[in-house]
Structures are given as C-alpha cells and as structure tokens.
C-alpha cells in the first residue's frame, strides 16, 4: 500500500486497468497496490479492534469500500472514505453500490 504496509484481506477487488498497469513480475507476489474494495471476516481468534484498525488503514491508503464482517456478533462495519463507519446489526444482505453496481452479498450463508 502507499504507506508501505503489506496487507492481505480475505477478499479484494481492483479495477482491471490499475491491475494491468502493474508489471507482471510484481503481480506474482504482493502487488504494490491498494484495492478499491476489501472484505475482512472476523475469525474466532481475531481481536475486533485490530481488524478495525486494519480496515481504517485500507481506507487511509485509498480503498473506497470496505466490509468488516463480524460473524461472532452478527455485525457488519462498512468503511468508506471521509465518512463515519456504518455499523449494521444482523443484516441480511450487503450492497456494493455505487462502487460495484449489482454486487450483492447474501449473509444468510455467512452467519
């Protein structure tokens, strides 16, 4: 990422033109790019604050949308630049609008 951190989210999306602008040899490892969209799933052993800090770091480095899914508490934290983190209790679906039009995540299989 621009701050030099090497991160690996559970899922990510990067615009094709940005990805293809990276030389092929750099794409084989941790590419020097910050995704537009990231998803983190909290596992049983994860500390929530550590994941929240990680999500904020993504936003601070250029991510446009981030979902932190806390399966343990059935909560989702939605991160966007220049906006307060949105917290949803037991949502059924998540929508990627406007960044990812038509992308919908059905959480019934996640909980």
């Amino acid at each position: 990422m621009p701050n030099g951190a090497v991160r690996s989210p559970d899922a990510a999306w990067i615009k094709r033109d940005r990805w293809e602008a990276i030389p092929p040899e750099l794409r084989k490892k941790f590419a020097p790019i910050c995704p537009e969209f990231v998803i983190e799933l909290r596992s049983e052993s994860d500390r929530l604050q550590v994941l929240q800090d990680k999500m904020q770091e993504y936003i601070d480095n250029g991510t446009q949308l981030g979902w932190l899914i806390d399966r343990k508490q059935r909560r989702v934290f939605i991160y966007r630049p220049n906006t307060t983190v949105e917290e949803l209790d037991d949502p059924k679906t998540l929508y990627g609008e406007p960044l990812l039009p038509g992308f919908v995540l059905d959480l019934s299989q996640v909980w």
Side-chain angles (χ1 to χ4, degrees):
M1 291 198 293
N3 71 348
V6 177
R7 298 281 180 236
S8 179
D10 291 310
W13 178 79
I14 299 168
K15 289 182 182 176
R16 181 180 301 229
D17 62 331
R18 290 185 63 230
W19 179 252
E20 290 175 348
I22 299 170
E25 63 275 4
L26 293 179
R27 292 186 226 160
K28 294 178 182 175
K29 296 184 180 185
F30 281 97
I33 193 168
C34 184
E36 280 87 352
F37 172 61
V38 297
I39 298 174
E40 285 288 344
L41 296 172
R42 182 182 183 196
S43 68
E44 289 290 324
S45 62
D46 287 330
R47 289 188 31 234
L48 182 58
Q49 187 61 56
V50 170
L51 290 177
Q52 289 172 321
D53 292 345
K54 185 177 180 182
M55 294 299 291
Q56 189 59 55
E57 184 178 34
Y58 282 120
I59 296 299
D60 292 344
N61 280 275
T63 293
Q64 297 300 303
L65 176 62
W67 295 342
L68 170 52
I69 301 172
D70 182 353
R71 296 184 314 160
K72 187 176 183 179
Q73 306 265 337
R74 295 177 73 112
R75 291 184 299 177
V76 174
F77 301 87
I78 300 175
Y79 290 77
R80 294 182 183 94
N82 306 312
T83 306
T84 303
V85 176
E86 183 180 356
E87 185 175 340
L88 305 175
D89 289 316
D90 199 20
K92 305 299 180 226
T93 54
L94 296 174
Y95 299 91
E97 307 286 340
L99 181 65
L100 299 168
F103 182 73
V104 179
L105 178 61
D106 177 0
L107 291 168
S108 65
Q109 300 300 313
V110 175
W111 305 136

